[in-house]
Amino acid sequence: MDVLLVNTNRMKPPIAPLAFDYLGGTLKTAGHRARLLDFGLAEDPAQAARRAFAGSRPDVVALTFRNSDDCYFASGASFVDVLRNDVELLRQHHDGPLLVGGGGFSVLPELLLDHAGADYGVVGDGETALLEFLRFRRGDIAAEAVPGLVHRRRGVWRRNPVRPADLAAPGLSARDTVDNAAYFRRGGQAGVETKRGCPGRCVYCADPPIKGRSVRRRRPDDVVSEVRNLLAQGIDHLHFCDSEFNLPADHAEDVCRALIDGGVAPKIRWFAYAAPQPFTPDFAALLRRAGCAGVNFGADSASDPMLKRLGRDHSADRLAETARLCRKNKITFMYDLLIGGPGETPDTARETLRAVQKMEVDRVGVAVGVRVYPGTPLAEQIKREPALRAGLRGDPESLAPAFYVSPALGADPFDLVRTLTGNDDRFLLPSGKDEKDYNYNDNTVLARAVEAGHRGAYWDILRRLKQGLPPGAVGRD
C-alpha cells in the first residue's frame, strides 16, 4: 500500500521526525511504499501538500504530532491548532481516513481527534500498529485487532490495548525516509533511539504512560548500523534521545562499547539525556571514549525533600559526585531543574540553585512550573489532595497545557528565580530571545547559530555562543 507520512512539527530550529524514519523503514521492509510530506521543512505547506497528492493517491495518510505544547509555563504555547489546520489542509486533497500518532497525541488522544477532526489515532509505538492498520484498511482484520488504535464504535471513541513494537525488527536502522541531511543543515543534530520505555518514578513525566515502564532494548550492533547510515549522509553530531540513556546501565555500556568496537566513535560527537544515578567513574570514562560530547541530566532539584516529592531516586550529594565525574572526564554537562513543584518554597529553591552553582555545572536549565500531564502520578495526587489545587494552573484533562506552581513561591516565581540566579550566565531561563533563552521553540538565536555552522545539543550551542567559541568547538573539545 502507498502510505503518506505527514510531519506536523514546525518548531525551529527544526528537529527531524525520527519516528517517520523508523516507520518508513518498517513499511518498506514489509513491502509497502512510504512517502513523506514534511511541513517542518516546507516553505509553503499548501504548495507542498498539492505536490504530494499530484501523482499517485495514497491509500493511508498518517500524521505525527510530536509535541502538544512547548512545555514552558512562561510561554504557554500550544500546537493543537497546528494539527487541526493541517488536517483541514489535507482534507482538501484526501477523502480517505486520516490517522494521527506521536508522543504529543498519545497524551490526550480522544480530545485531539475531536479537536483536529481526524478519523483514527494510534497510542504508543507506531511500527506494529501502522502495519496492522494497513491490514485493517484492506479488510483482513477488524479495527479492534490494531494495537493502540483509537477508533469510533457506535459514535464513541474506543481505545485498543497497546502492544509494544519489536525494536529488533529489520528496517529501523535504514534512516532513508526523512531528508536527514537537510535537517542537519538547519537543525544541527540527528536523533537516535537505543531503547524505549522508562522505569523511572518521576511524578510528572509522561514518558511511562506513553512509552511504557518496561524498557525495550535495541541491539547495539543495530544502533551502530544506524549511525553508519547517518554518517553516510554527512551527519556526525547525534543525540541519543532515550528517556534516560543510562537506564539500564548495562545496555548503555554495551552501546558505548559497540560504537568503539565498530570504529564509529572517533567519527561522531554525541549527546544524551541521562539520570544522575547510576553514573560511575568507569561509565563516565567509557562515555568519553565512545565519543560522548555532553550529557543533559534530569537533576530536577538539589533539595532532598523536593527530590523525594518529585519521585526521584538520587540525592543532592549524588548530583555533586556526578558533576565531579563529568569534569574529570572532560564531558560537558547540564542539569535540568524543575522549580515550583508541590512543597517548593523560596528556601528549597534557594537551596537548589545555590548548591548547583557550587557544583560547577556547565549549564543549568531552569523550568519554573511543572507540566501536569493526565495519567501521571502528579495529576492523580492533585485529584486526591484538594490542598494542592491552589497551585494548579489550568486543567490537565483539557487540551490547553496545565502546570503546577507552588503558591509558596509568591505572585512572581520567575522574579524569584531571576533574583536567586543573578548574573550567573550558566543558568538558562525560558524567557527572552538571547543566548540564555532555554525555550527551543522558534528560537532565532539558535537557528542563526546552526546556520553559521554550530552543531550538537542546543544547550551546548548556547553555552558556546555565550563563551564566544567557534562553530567547530563541541563539548569540551
Side-chain angles (χ1 to χ4, degrees):
M1 300 183 76
D2 184 1
V3 182
L4 182 65
L5 304 171
V6 183
N7 178 32
T8 67
N9 186 14
R10 311 294 212 284
M11 292 183 76
K12 296 291 186 294
I15 298 294
L18 176 60
F20 276 172
D21 244 354
Y22 290 154
L23 285 171
T26 301
L27 288 166
K28 294 170 189 175
T29 301
H32 300 288
R33 183 186 184 198
R35 297 185 288 132
L36 179 61
L37 170 55
D38 198 340
F39 291 147
L41 295 179
E43 297 296 332
D44 184 340
Q47 185 180 55
R50 285 194 296 271
R51 286 198 301 266
F53 288 93
S56 61
R57 295 284 171 167
D59 298 298
V60 170
V61 175
L63 300 82
T64 184
F65 190 57
R66 182 177 182 266
N67 303 100
S68 59
D69 56 275
D70 65 3
C71 301
Y72 286 110
F73 179 54
S75 65
S78 172
F79 307 134
V80 297
D81 286 342
V82 173
L83 177 63
R84 182 175 62 186
N85 293 339
D86 286 345
V87 167
E88 291 176 354
L89 174 59
L90 294 170
R91 291 285 191 209
Q92 298 175 20
H93 306 277
H94 183 68
D95 56 6
L98 299 177
L99 174 71
V100 184
F105 171 78
S106 295
V107 174
L108 284 167
E110 292 84 3
L111 285 181
L112 278 166
L113 287 173
D114 280 334
H115 183 77
D119 306 287
Y120 297 95
V122 167
V123 173
D125 291 351
E127 289 84 358
T128 301
L130 185 51
L131 292 178
E132 294 298 284
F133 183 78
L134 297 183
R135 293 184 62 205
F136 159 63
R137 291 300 301 164
R138 284 197 304 253
D140 297 338
I141 60 174
E144 288 75 13
V146 180
L149 186 68
V150 183
H151 57 105
R152 282 193 184 275
R153 185 177 179 185
R154 299 190 181 96
V156 178
W157 288 117
R158 307 286 184 181
R159 192 188 306 190
N160 296 344
V162 173
R163 188 198 314 163
D166 178 9
L167 299 186
L172 293 187
S173 63
R175 301 302 299 266
D176 59 358
T177 300
V178 174
D179 189 347
N180 290 294
Y183 270 103
F184 188 59
R185 289 192 301 270
R186 301 188 194 185
Q189 59 183 321
V192 174
E193 279 186 330
T194 78
K195 69 182 78 71
R196 283 186 202 162
C198 183
R201 298 172 296 165
C202 308
V203 300
Y204 54 83
C205 187
D207 268 13
I210 295 172
K211 300 179 180 179
R213 294 191 178 279
S214 176
V215 176
R216 291 157 287 132
R217 312 178 185 200
R218 291 184 63 196
R219 296 194 316 269
D221 63 316
D222 197 33
V223 174
V224 172
S225 295
E226 182 174 344
V227 171
R228 288 198 181 103
N229 287 334
L230 289 170
L231 280 168
Q233 299 173 56
I235 298 163
D236 56 4
H237 288 70
L238 310 176
H239 200 298
F240 289 125
C241 46
D242 310 347
S243 298
E244 305 286 10
F245 178 71
N246 57 334
L247 295 178
D250 63 331
H251 183 258
E253 292 166 0
D254 289 344
V255 170
C256 287
R257 293 190 186 98
L259 293 171
I260 296 169
D261 295 343
V264 298
K267 303 175 183 178
I268 59 174
R269 305 300 285 151
W270 56 270
F271 297 79
Y273 302 118
Q277 180 174 300
F279 198 82
T280 65
D282 288 345
F283 182 62
L286 182 61
L287 282 177
R288 182 65 179 176
R289 294 205 316 274
C292 180
V295 180
N296 182 348
F297 292 96
D300 286 357
S301 177
S303 165
D304 287 339
M306 282 305 303
L307 287 169
K308 183 177 180 180
R309 293 187 186 104
L310 292 171
R312 305 311 305 267
D313 57 5
H314 63 267
S315 64
D317 287 344
R318 180 66 249 175
L319 290 177
E321 175 61 10
T322 297
R324 185 188 71 80
L325 291 174
C326 284
R327 292 195 304 273
K328 179 181 178 180
N329 289 277
K330 297 183 179 180
I331 297 172
T332 307
F333 66 108
M334 182 176 89
Y335 281 170
D336 257 328
L337 300 179
L338 283 177
I339 302 297
E344 190 86 85
T345 67
D347 287 339
T348 60
R350 184 178 297 105
E351 178 185 7
T352 289
L353 298 172
R354 293 288 181 265
V356 170
Q357 283 178 317
K358 294 177 182 177
M359 294 175 194
E360 299 180 47
V361 184
D362 291 302
R363 277 297 178 269
V364 185
V366 183
V368 179
V370 180
R371 180 70 165 88
V372 184
Y373 292 102
T376 59
L378 178 57
E380 298 306 311
Q381 182 185 5
I382 293 172
K383 288 180 183 178
R384 292 193 309 268
E385 301 178 27
L388 291 178
R389 293 173 193 165
L392 183 62
R393 313 291 182 89
D395 179 4
E397 301 295 334
S398 74
L399 290 179
F403 294 84
Y404 184 92
V405 184
S406 173
L409 296 184
D412 191 349
F414 298 102
D415 183 63
L416 172 67
V417 170
R418 285 192 294 267
T419 299
L420 292 174
T421 56
N423 295 321
D424 194 329
D425 288 333
R426 294 174 297 173
F427 286 85
L428 303 174
L429 308 176
S431 59
K433 289 293 179 185
D434 55 27
E435 65 273 13
K436 291 186 67 175
D437 183 9
Y438 190 34
N439 190 340
Y440 298 155
N441 177 36
D442 196 24
N443 192 310
T444 55
V445 171
L446 272 174
R448 285 196 295 266
V450 173
E451 184 179 348
H454 283 277
R455 299 290 182 262
Y458 292 157
W459 59 268
D460 192 49
I461 291 177
L462 293 174
R463 175 189 69 86
R464 284 177 259 146
L465 289 175
K466 190 64 181 178
Q467 295 179 354
L469 297 175
V474 177
R476 290 191 185 277
D477 291 347

